[in-house]
Amino acid sequence: MQDTPVTLLYVADPPAKALLTEVGCWVAVASAEHVLRGRQGGFMQVCHGKAGPLRRVRPGDRVAYYSPTVHFGGKDRLQAFTAIGTVLEGDPYEVDLGDGFRPFRRDVGWDAGTGDAGIAPLLDRLSFTAGRQRWGYALRFGLLRATPGDLEAIGEAMRAVRRVRSRDFCITISRSGNTSGDRHGDDADQQRPGHHPQADTR
């Protein structure tokens, strides 16, 4: 009896399987006062509360907020990254803020130990601004996909800002001998103009 040759086929994992394990990276846009409310409440909200953009975001994704201004609709230019964190488990959910305003949100675990970092020093390092004269064009939609390198650079800059503030605070205390001097430490974010916890997130 003659043996029948057997052909073995090795099938590579489909690309889609690998994509499921990738961490998404995003940059959202909102005024600093609205971002502060989100940091205090542990959530993100984009595009005037629309659900569609939030459904693109997945648990485990990294997200950073860019704030062009301090106040919503204001002319008090800031142009800084004001929050960075990781999206938590769960789907987008709707909240009732009254007067017919029912925005959708997602829960986020915001990174501690960060400060507001201006975008100007990062323009040549970020994928959505490098080499672009009108770099703000990419941010006009309120939520854009970024790269891991983008989020790494933003996070590094924000952590560096907090380290400088903490160092300056310690120097102020050592020189004055008390805490009545100019503070740049942990409470600085709460005292910065434009940070109003009661502001809504429209």
Side-chain angles (χ1 to χ4, degrees):
M1 182 174 179
Q2 189 174 12
D3 293 338
T4 303
V6 177
T7 301
L8 300 179
L9 298 178
Y10 294 91
V11 181
D13 290 335
K17 183 177 180 180
L19 290 175
L20 291 177
T21 62
E22 292 183 358
V23 174
C25 295
W26 305 89
V27 171
V29 182
S31 66
E33 63 176 345
H34 289 178
V35 174
L36 176 62
R37 180 67 181 272
R39 292 184 65 169
Q40 292 175 331
F43 65 85
M44 67 177 293
Q45 180 178 309
V46 297
C47 304
H48 304 290
K50 294 180 180 178
L54 287 182
R55 293 195 179 103
R56 299 169 57 198
V57 181
R58 295 288 183 264
D61 286 359
R62 293 284 286 168
V63 58
Y65 261 97
Y66 169 74
S67 298
T69 60
V70 175
H71 298 93
F72 174 65
K75 296 182 179 180
D76 41 6
R77 181 178 297 183
L78 183 61
Q79 295 187 327
F81 292 101
T82 49
I84 186 169
T86 302
V87 179
L88 302 180
E89 292 293 333
D91 297 323
Y93 56 90
E94 190 177 24
V95 294
D96 188 353
L97 297 183
D99 297 327
F101 185 46
R102 301 174 63 90
F104 282 84
R105 295 173 174 174
R106 262 193 181 280
D107 290 335
V108 178
W110 299 111
D111 292 3
T114 62
D116 296 353
I119 193 174
L122 300 174
L123 290 178
D124 292 335
R125 298 177 59 187
L126 303 177
S127 65
F128 52 91
T129 60
R132 302 183 183 183
Q133 184 175 2
R134 298 183 177 181
W135 52 265
Y137 185 80
L139 297 164
R140 74 192 190 285
F141 294 115
L143 181 69
L144 72 149
R145 187 179 289 275
T147 68
D150 292 335
L151 271 291
E152 183 178 349
I154 293 168
E156 177 185 305
M158 295 182 72
R159 288 188 293 273
V161 168
R162 177 47 60 92
R163 285 196 296 271
V164 170
R165 286 181 178 176
S166 298
R167 182 196 63 194
D168 290 349
F169 175 53
C170 293
I171 292 175
T172 300
I173 297 304
S174 64
R175 289 177 177 175
S176 65
N178 56 60
T179 59
S180 61
D182 180 22
R183 294 196 59 167
H184 299 284
D186 291 341
D187 293 336
D189 285 348
Q190 301 299 329
Q191 298 175 3
R192 191 176 70 246
H195 276 199
H196 305 298
Q198 73 276 14
D200 66 27
T201 54
R202 294 176 187 255

